[in-house]
Amino acid sequence: MVTSVGGVILDESVLIDNSGTAALRPEALSLLRKLRHSNLHLAISYSPALSNDKVSLLKKMAMQYSFDCFILDGSSMDDALKVVTLAWGDIGGTILYLVSNHKNDCFNQLSNLGWIIVVLDAEASAAFDNSTVLCINKLQELLLTICHLNIKANGNNVVTVGYVMKPSREEDFAKRGAFPISSTPNGLIFLPLTFEVPLRSQLQHVDIVLHKATDEIISVELSDSAESSSKITYTTGMQELRRYMENNSDCFVIDPLDKIYPVLDRLKIQQILLGLEDINAEGRHTIRGPHFLKVNNFNEPDLVLRLSKAKLFLPSIVKPQIACGVADAHSMAIVFRVEDFKDLGVPLPAVVQEYVDHSSTLFKIYVLGEKVFYAVKKSTPNVDILMNLSKKNGLGPLLFDSLKSLPTSTEQSRSEDPSVANGHHFDLGLVTDAANWLARKLDLTIFGFDVVIQEGTGDHVIVDVNYLPSFKEVPNDVCIPAFWDAIKMKFESRQRK
């Protein structure tokens, strides 16, 4: 019976480079980082003869990435087994031992323990199905090997999710347990895709692709037409993935690249939000997008008239039309006077958006398939307090990067009840209706949006929409199973079609 991989031991020979100095292979750190949150037992092994400086380096890496350290020389099966068993006990799976090909004297010894031996830099190839000794050419292939072995162990009862996103975002998700390489309770296995290994060899083992494509954008050329999509230029690796997805209809994607394009364009999102009128009804609060206006030139002579026709009054918030994926997409300004628009440091084209007084309370909404969660965060203060901040700034506009810091003040405090903003209760039912409406309209599975409650009217105003948010404010034991369920349900829906 084939068992899944329960533990991984990395021999010194696959981590230390061949220069003779105490230095790691360039790709070793990435592997250690990816394995760290895999929920597997992990260790680094080295021989008793290894120099002190190299041992010190390996111990430092082991401590940093939560690996154990074992002294194994391959000469005694019994000693190796005793060392590992004493430390790990019954791990509920097979131990995989990764070693370089120049240590071939220990292959058979260790394979007799029932371990799976994976040889790095081996010229010969070995079939997965008929040997306990496997061969890979690059360190980056190890996770694919583990994933393949776990798929074999689970038969047809698992769905493999290949995912791609920038390392920092992957780390944030992985450390919360979102990307296990062993099967989740609902039958998912996650495989990090890498552009350093041919994608075809990875994707042939993948049932679903999950991406944060905005992490791979080089440039965005906005479309002037409401009907046509913006022109997106991706990194070389993402372009290869897109071509593969286009040429292989059985490659299922959550969510297709063209579905995220509206989220990249603040103007298109504002235009889509106009359709929220369809779900508003008498007897409850209104949910809507803010009033808005696209501006191509801050010095245009009829700007004041255009602002008035768009129901915009100062102060207003000014945002780049491009919402994410490029530099300066989050460089914004709050403008208090018409003359503030002159030489304003916000990239053009821009969207001037209604500034809604909301008592510094922002509701972050997370949509994971059919489930909707929310969290409450501190936000920018009301207009009167912003005016005081502007005066301290010499009556100029307030410039800020929304990813780094927002204009804030200690003068305004929020209600002790997180579901109440400026005397108005947060209407979760209304917001859930809006979430379901947006999911259908955008045809997205995992996305988020921000809501503020307008003082006086109680209007729930959606001020931002984003794809694949971190949902970090939602407890892990709640959001991670919902995240897995959203992916599984989308896959099963596709299968039924």
Side-chain angles (χ1 to χ4, degrees):
M1 178 180 176
V2 180
T3 59
S4 60
V5 175
V8 175
I9 302 175
L10 305 178
D11 185 78
E12 69 191 56
S13 59
V14 302
L15 296 177
I16 302 291
D17 70 10
N18 297 321
S19 66
T21 61
L24 295 180
R25 293 179 183 237
E27 64 272 29
L29 282 178
S30 175
L31 178 63
L32 293 173
R33 177 179 57 80
K34 289 176 184 292
L35 282 171
R36 179 180 185 176
H37 302 293
S38 63
N39 291 330
L40 301 175
H41 286 75
L42 304 168
I44 294 171
S45 70
Y46 58 91
S47 70
L50 192 66
S51 63
N52 290 336
D53 56 344
K54 293 180 180 178
V55 170
S56 295
L57 173 63
L58 292 178
K59 287 185 174 180
K60 178 182 177 182
M61 292 298 99
M63 181 174 293
Q64 181 175 344
Y65 292 98
S66 303
F67 280 60
D68 292 316
C69 271
F70 298 145
I71 300 177
L72 303 176
D73 62 8
S75 61
S76 170
M77 290 189 302
D78 292 338
D79 288 346
L81 188 59
K82 286 177 183 177
V83 169
V84 177
T85 302
L86 183 63
W88 287 354
D90 183 5
I91 62 174
T94 305
I95 291 175
L96 183 150
Y97 188 83
L98 179 66
V99 62
S100 179
N101 64 343
H102 73 258
K103 281 196 168 184
N104 54 14
D105 57 326
C106 71
F107 295 171
N108 292 331
Q109 289 268 14
L110 293 172
S111 62
N112 288 335
L113 296 176
W115 294 1
I116 297 172
I117 310 303
V118 179
V119 182
L120 178 67
D121 301 326
E123 295 180 0
S125 62
F128 284 125
D129 295 324
N130 58 17
S131 176
T132 56
V133 178
L134 311 177
C135 302
I136 61 175
N137 294 314
K138 294 183 177 182
L139 270 182
Q140 294 92 332
E141 297 175 36
L142 178 63
L143 290 169
L144 177 61
T145 301
I146 296 172
C147 180
H148 182 87
L149 290 168
N150 286 343
I151 293 170
K152 281 181 61 181
N154 286 274
N156 297 321
N157 299 320
V158 293
V159 175
T160 307
V161 184
Y163 64 91
V164 57
M165 57 187 65
K166 66 182 180 182
S168 60
R169 195 182 311 279
E170 178 188 357
E171 176 82 3
D172 288 342
F173 274 94
K175 68 185 179 184
R176 302 177 68 190
F179 294 148
I181 201 166
S182 53
S183 180
T184 65
N186 69 338
L188 300 181
I189 288 179
F190 286 84
L191 172 67
L193 300 176
T194 174
F195 297 138
E196 298 176 16
V197 174
L199 277 173
R200 184 171 293 276
S201 65
Q202 303 170 71
L203 291 170
Q204 65 183 354
H205 301 293
V206 165
D207 299 302
I208 310 173
V209 174
L210 175 73
H211 65 84
K212 181 73 171 179
T214 53
D215 290 345
E216 302 294 328
I217 291 176
I218 295 175
S219 65
V220 179
E221 184 178 326
L222 293 170
S223 170
D224 292 329
S225 168
E227 288 75 29
S228 60
S229 298
S230 302
K231 182 180 179 182
I232 314 295
T233 302
Y234 291 105
T235 59
T236 301
M238 195 66 197
Q239 289 182 46
E240 182 185 353
L241 178 58
R242 180 171 64 175
R243 285 193 296 271
Y244 183 92
M245 293 186 297
E246 290 173 349
N247 296 328
N248 293 270
S249 57
D250 57 340
C251 182
F252 180 38
V253 186
I254 299 180
D255 288 291
L257 296 186
D258 62 313
K259 301 300 182 183
I260 71 167
Y261 290 163
V263 181
L264 302 178
D265 188 334
R266 288 191 173 97
L267 178 63
K268 288 190 176 180
I269 280 294
Q270 298 285 8
Q271 292 167 338
I272 288 171
L273 292 178
L274 292 174
L276 285 169
E277 292 180 3
D278 296 340
I279 69 170
N280 286 314
E282 280 191 46
R284 66 176 186 174
H285 292 118
T286 294
I287 189 160
R288 63 180 180 85
H291 304 308
F292 66 94
L293 176 69
K294 177 182 177 179
V295 175
N296 292 315
N297 183 349
F298 291 132
N299 298 317
E300 56 186 72
D302 60 345
L303 180 58
V304 174
L305 179 60
R306 293 185 64 219
L307 289 171
S308 177
K309 287 184 177 180
K311 300 180 181 178
L312 287 167
F313 306 95
L314 299 181
S316 293
I317 186 167
V318 185
K319 305 177 179 181
Q321 186 176 343
I322 298 176
C324 55
V326 296
D328 300 326
H330 300 277
S331 297
M332 304 179 183
I334 298 174
V335 172
F336 298 88
R337 304 172 303 169
V338 173
E339 50 266 37
D340 290 342
F341 282 104
K342 184 178 181 181
D343 301 322
L344 186 63
V346 175
L348 290 167
V351 175
V352 182
Q353 184 177 296
E354 171 191 9
Y355 189 86
V356 177
D357 274 349
H358 57 286
S359 300
S360 299
T361 304
L362 178 77
F363 296 88
K364 297 196 73 68
I365 316 302
Y366 300 113
V367 183
L368 301 174
E370 296 180 349
K371 296 179 181 177
V372 178
F373 304 94
Y374 78 93
V376 186
K377 294 191 69 176
K378 187 174 177 60
S379 180
T380 52
N382 284 354
V383 166
D384 56 341
I385 298 174
L386 286 175
M387 289 292 289
N388 291 333
L389 291 175
S390 177
K391 289 175 182 177
K392 293 177 183 178
N393 194 38
L395 293 178
L398 295 177
L399 300 169
F400 62 96
D401 185 316
S402 62
L403 285 184
K404 298 176 181 177
S405 63
L406 298 173
T408 58
S409 173
T410 58
E411 295 180 44
Q412 190 166 310
S413 60
R414 293 183 295 168
S415 165
E416 292 184 3
D417 183 347
S419 66
V420 175
N422 52 70
H424 296 285
H425 281 272
F426 174 69
D427 191 335
L428 180 58
L430 178 65
V431 170
T432 300
D433 288 345
N436 293 332
W437 181 87
L438 272 172
R440 293 191 300 271
K441 193 75 175 177
L442 299 173
D443 196 15
L444 293 177
T445 308
I446 302 169
F447 65 98
F449 56 96
D450 296 344
V451 172
V452 298
I453 301 178
Q454 185 173 34
E455 282 199 358
T457 66
D459 284 0
H460 288 46
V461 185
I462 298 178
V463 294
D464 190 27
V465 181
N466 52 86
Y467 176 67
L468 195 63
S470 66
F471 40 86
K472 59 185 177 182
E473 294 88 2
V474 184
N476 293 348
D477 60 344
V478 174
C479 68
I480 300 303
F483 173 65
W484 294 337
D485 286 343
I487 294 172
K488 185 67 175 290
M489 289 177 66
K490 189 74 171 184
F491 176 75
E492 290 175 343
S493 174
R494 164 68 181 266
Q495 293 295 93
R496 288 193 295 269
K497 293 179 181 179

